[in-house]
Amino acid sequence: MLARITVPLLAAAGLVFACGPRTPSPLAGARPKAGADHGVTSHVMVDTANGTVRFAIEVANDSPKRVELTFPDGRTHDFVVLDSTGREVWRWSEGRLFTQGMQNRLLDARDRTVYDERWQAPGSGRYTLVAQLHSENYPVRQQVEFALR
């Protein structure tokens, strides 16, 4: 008699446990960051030839597996130029419109992609470039100082 009650109760408890709400794991919300441990690396370049400054951020998948970069909207990257006092002089995304749709970019094993833009410098001086990759799962933010003569 006890077995007829216990077995269905245990089965129901197992079903409730398997399908019921769970406390989220602290690791569930963790997102990988760009870095060598995940195979995604980045490199920022500044080219100051011919009076026009060219900025580039190269994102490489150095791992043996394919990596998917996830972007919350159409803005995949951004470049910001700061003067020697830290004041923002130029922002690539300023005044631009971006799609609101989420997008993904697949990087095959040992593949790389480059995001580059040009800036017409107002004059000589010391500047800092802040390059950003707006990926949700592999965000990148790097600063590079450069001088124009």
Side-chain angles (χ1 to χ4, degrees):
M1 177 77 164
L2 186 60
R4 277 200 271 175
I5 296 173
T6 307
V7 172
L9 283 176
L10 286 175
L15 184 63
V16 168
F17 178 75
C19 299
R22 295 185 183 211
T23 307
S25 164
L27 299 178
R31 295 184 173 154
K33 304 291 184 207
D37 18 333
H38 300 290
V40 176
T41 59
S42 63
H43 180 70
V44 176
M45 297 159 281
V46 178
D47 180 12
T48 59
N50 303 328
T52 300
V53 183
R54 181 177 168 250
F55 303 125
I57 183 168
E58 178 185 70
V59 180
N61 176 12
D62 295 330
S63 75
K65 296 181 180 181
R66 184 183 339 199
V67 169
E68 182 175 19
L69 302 174
T70 304
F71 300 98
D73 54 31
R75 186 174 60 160
T76 55
H77 64 285
D78 203 357
F79 294 104
V80 178
V81 177
L82 308 173
D83 66 10
S84 60
T85 64
R87 186 178 58 89
E88 184 175 305
V89 176
W90 178 78
R91 179 179 293 266
W92 172 77
S93 63
E94 183 74 29
R96 295 179 185 262
L97 299 175
F98 299 96
T99 62
Q100 295 302 305
M102 189 173 160
Q103 63 176 308
N104 299 326
R105 170 73 192 247
L106 292 176
L107 284 179
D108 288 328
R110 312 287 183 236
D111 196 9
R112 53 191 76 245
T113 187
V114 176
Y115 298 97
D116 65 335
E117 302 300 335
R118 297 186 190 284
W119 174 55
Q120 191 66 39
S124 62
R126 298 191 62 73
Y127 298 96
T128 300
L129 169 68
V130 180
Q132 297 174 311
L133 181 71
H134 286 278
S135 170
E136 288 185 324
N137 53 344
Y138 294 98
V140 171
R141 185 177 194 276
Q142 291 184 337
Q143 293 185 353
V144 175
E145 292 183 10
F146 65 99
L148 299 176
R149 301 180 203 275

